[in-house]
Amino acid sequence: MTKERLYLFDTTLRDGAQTAGIEFSLEDKISIAGLLERLGVDYVEGGYPGANVVDDQFFAENRTRDAVFTAFGMTKRAGRSVANDPGVQAILNCAADAACFVGKAWDKQVKVALGITPEQNLNNMRETIASTVEAGKEAMLDCEHFFDGYKANPDYALKFVETAIAAGARWAVLCDTNGGTMPAEIAEIVAAVLEVAPGDKLGIHAHDDTGQAVANTLAAVNAGVRQIQGTLNGVGERCGNANLITLIPTLMLKPGFADRFELGLGPEQLERLTSISRAFDDLLNRAPTRQSPYVGTSAFATKAGIHASALAKDVSSYEHVPPESVGNERSIMVSQQAGKSNLLTALDRHGIAIAKDDPRLERLLRSVKEREARGYSYDGADASFFVLAHRILGTLPEYFTVESYRASVERRHNARGEQITVTEAVVKTRVGDELLMSVAEGNGPVNALDVAMRKDLGKFSERIADLELVDFKVRILDGGTGAVTRVLVESRDGTGERWYTIGVSANIIDASFEALYESITYKLMKTEASVGV
């Protein structure tokens, strides 16, 4: 039986950016686009060109390799042509391969919010879609308020979809904008839409205001739509969007879906799911939700003794899918085999070959778990895991050691009477038999330490010349000013590669220094082969 293809459209960088408390920087967007490429989604909606400086910079070049790089925007305004609408032109002239426009499918919203006639609204949308196709971009339409609009005026809502597809839209996406539609209603309304449009041109965009965004999405798929819009970890305005991290394994592993549909990703990408979900939370500088389906630390945890006993006899007793299929692991294990399996996968990703029965693997597993108990998290800090693995396996070269470091912050008045803050760092390092001392100023103690440590590493200086600290995030693990602090540092080099390192300490400077030290070590290790040492 031939399976039908479902297409995943991620809107984390656009609709997810509407989440209260989330502000994506350019570097954040680039990093998240990389996570989405690793996951294997079909479309990455990167934001709204012309709306802000960050999105303008993000769309200055194509940010994806495999996924369709997509820009979001509004259909043209009434009373002006597409050519004279700066919003539409910003989208048509950006580096995106596709454009997803939003238009109101509820005639009440057209009259009240836009102040135009329903027919004008159709014309605006039609001309925008046609111009996008003419410009050589894939055109899509988010039919805003579609389900509420259908309930109020089904003829207009259906005509909105028909007009979009006739104008050349690849997808007409049915949006439950207010998030209040029930799964049974979704199925019934989608069935009506299929009378005027084929399912392979329809998508679903669900919000989670009743806690049913995933259920509504699955209901729409069952009814016939073939594009799914959602976000990583369900981020989005108000209560969030449909969670792709939940939808993907459901569609790939559950009967009724897995036997009827296929996605553009396979088991290998599915095994990255937990790591990607947690890495995304690390980028947001927030703790992962322990009880998240499939990927939470409690998703395959069993506390009750009777349950643990049953689990020891048959793991399927309290596990609806194998934890390792989504890159997770059970927290109560008969043996440590599941943990070792994940570890071997991570080592293989870094090109580190080791036998399953190698005793060093047990030491590494124990070290990872001990460090995670102290606050480390390696899901979002792959470079630190790489360094730790080589250290435990005894294959980490000793490029340099830090004898001591000191950072000072002085607040004083300058010669003009202005209050300024001066930060200075001194780092003493030993490279082979040579003792080196570097002094540097920075815009803070972390920056000063970073500059000082990279200022003079003797024979290794040339190899880290293109190393750059890109981002720096701090998270307090326990309350209070004396709490344990986790620092996540993002670095990049001249090749464009980015990596993350982590440091944990009760002292924020010490935690930062640990992450910086491991970033430099990782850079030296990855350049080792290229210099033939």
Side-chain angles (χ1 to χ4, degrees):
M1 173 180 166
T2 303
K3 295 182 179 181
E4 288 190 74
R5 178 74 151 84
L6 298 178
Y7 294 85
L8 299 175
F9 182 106
D10 182 273
T11 182
T12 300
L13 298 176
R14 200 276 302 174
D15 217 357
Q18 306 303 311
T19 308
I22 288 181
E23 290 289 342
F24 293 133
S25 67
L26 175 62
E27 301 300 338
D28 288 335
K29 287 205 165 197
I30 293 171
S31 297
I32 293 166
L35 289 178
L36 295 169
E37 287 276 272
R38 284 186 60 210
L39 183 57
V41 300
D42 298 291
Y43 294 86
V44 172
E45 187 178 50
Y48 192 163
N52 56 70
V53 174
V54 170
D55 281 357
D56 286 346
Q57 293 173 330
F58 190 62
F59 281 96
E61 59 184 273
N62 198 310
R63 303 291 182 175
T64 61
R65 296 183 310 275
D66 301 316
V68 178
F69 190 41
T70 307
F72 172 85
M74 297 175 63
T75 56
K76 83 170 190 70
R77 300 175 189 177
R80 63 176 62 188
S81 67
V82 169
N84 289 320
D85 190 304
V88 176
Q89 287 303 307
I91 294 164
L92 298 186
N93 293 317
C94 76
D97 303 309
C100 184
F101 292 97
V102 61
K104 295 187 182 298
W106 187 0
D107 60 342
K108 173 187 172 183
Q109 287 284 322
V110 173
K111 299 169 189 173
V112 174
L114 298 182
I116 60 176
T117 67
E119 193 58 40
Q120 284 177 306
N121 185 50
L122 288 174
N123 288 335
N124 292 341
M125 178 264 288
R126 181 189 298 111
E127 291 177 28
T128 304
I129 295 296
S131 296
T132 304
V133 175
E134 186 179 346
K137 295 184 187 292
E138 182 176 330
M140 288 170 269
L141 180 70
D142 276 353
C143 304
E144 189 180 24
H145 293 290
F146 178 81
F147 291 96
D148 290 317
Y150 180 89
K151 295 173 196 176
N153 185 342
D155 291 340
Y156 186 76
L158 292 175
K159 189 175 182 181
F160 197 72
V161 172
E162 283 187 281
T163 302
I165 292 174
R170 170 64 182 89
W171 297 102
V173 182
L174 314 179
C175 302
D176 184 26
T177 305
N178 292 336
T181 309
M182 298 291 105
E185 292 178 296
I186 294 281
E188 181 182 344
I189 294 172
V190 169
V193 179
L194 289 172
E195 296 294 322
V196 301
D200 61 3
K201 287 186 177 292
L202 297 177
I204 179 69
H205 180 112
H207 282 263
D208 207 33
D209 297 73
T210 65
Q212 297 183 98
V214 168
N216 281 345
T217 301
L218 295 174
V221 169
N222 263 329
V225 307
R226 294 298 176 255
Q227 189 204 78
I228 294 167
Q229 293 197 359
T231 60
L232 291 176
N233 293 347
V235 296
E237 66 177 328
R238 301 190 312 274
C239 303
N241 288 45
N243 188 348
L244 289 182
I245 296 295
T246 301
L247 281 164
I248 289 170
T250 298
L251 293 167
M252 293 182 69
L253 300 176
K254 290 299 177 181
F257 295 103
D259 49 1
R260 294 168 54 204
F261 304 111
E262 63 179 1
L263 304 179
L265 59 148
E268 182 180 349
Q269 286 98 330
L270 186 62
E271 289 173 5
R272 301 172 185 165
L273 197 70
T274 298
S275 174
I276 288 171
S277 171
R278 295 176 186 176
F280 178 62
D281 278 328
D282 280 343
L283 279 170
L284 297 182
N285 207 21
R286 70 180 191 180
T289 303
R290 295 181 60 87
Q291 292 179 308
S292 292
Y294 295 102
V295 299
T297 55
S298 297
F300 299 98
T302 303
K303 186 175 182 180
I306 187 171
H307 290 180
S309 174
L311 193 67
K313 297 171 183 175
D314 181 3
V315 294
S316 67
S317 302
Y318 296 96
E319 292 177 356
H320 63 110
V321 297
E324 58 272 15
S325 65
V326 292
N328 207 341
E329 61 183 1
R330 69 181 62 95
S331 62
I332 296 180
M333 297 186 291
V334 180
S335 69
Q336 304 220 11
Q337 189 60 40
K340 286 183 179 179
S341 175
N342 282 0
L343 207 56
L344 285 166
T345 299
L347 290 170
D348 182 66
R349 187 168 66 247
H350 287 291
I352 302 173
I354 184 171
K356 292 181 180 180
D357 56 354
D358 192 314
R360 294 176 300 170
L361 189 64
E362 182 68 39
R363 291 201 301 272
L364 177 58
L365 179 62
R366 188 165 57 248
S367 178
V368 168
K369 291 187 177 296
E370 287 172 354
R371 292 169 74 84
E372 286 182 342
R374 287 160 45 200
Y376 290 84
S377 175
Y378 291 104
D379 292 301
D382 244 12
S384 279
F385 173 77
F386 178 82
V387 172
L388 175 66
H390 277 286
R391 182 180 295 122
I392 298 298
L393 298 176
T395 55
L396 180 67
E398 187 175 279
Y399 298 106
F400 67 99
T401 57
V402 177
E403 299 281 318
S404 66
Y405 72 84
R406 181 177 73 251
S408 63
V409 180
E410 179 185 5
R411 194 174 190 186
R412 57 179 171 79
H413 290 87
N414 62 16
R416 288 182 288 184
E418 299 168 334
Q419 195 171 62
I420 61 171
T421 301
V422 179
T423 305
E424 184 182 81
V426 180
V427 179
K428 291 182 181 180
T429 57
R430 184 174 295 279
V431 180
D433 296 328
E434 188 178 12
L435 182 63
L436 305 168
M437 184 176 76
S438 298
V439 182
E441 291 185 348
N443 58 14
V446 177
N447 177 241
L449 283 168
D450 176 43
V451 174
M453 187 155 52
R454 292 190 287 113
K455 193 173 185 179
D456 188 2
L457 275 184
K459 63 183 180 180
F460 299 119
S461 293
E462 186 177 343
R463 287 167 58 183
I464 63 168
D466 62 344
L467 176 61
E468 179 185 2
L469 189 155
V470 175
D471 202 1
F472 172 81
K473 288 185 172 69
V474 177
R475 189 166 147 235
I476 305 302
L477 300 181
D478 299 302
T481 56
V484 173
T485 302
R486 177 194 294 164
V487 169
L488 187 70
V489 165
E490 181 183 2
S491 305
R492 69 181 173 200
D493 61 15
T495 68
E497 182 182 349
R498 294 164 179 263
W499 60 90
Y500 296 86
T501 50
I502 193 170
V504 174
S505 174
N507 185 311
I508 187 173
I509 303 301
D510 194 43
S512 304
F513 193 82
E514 179 185 8
L516 293 171
Y517 179 88
E518 292 196 349
S519 176
I520 294 173
T521 302
Y522 176 80
K523 167 65 175 175
L524 290 171
M525 290 191 73
K526 88 184 194 76
T527 58
E528 187 131 325
S530 63
V531 296
V533 298

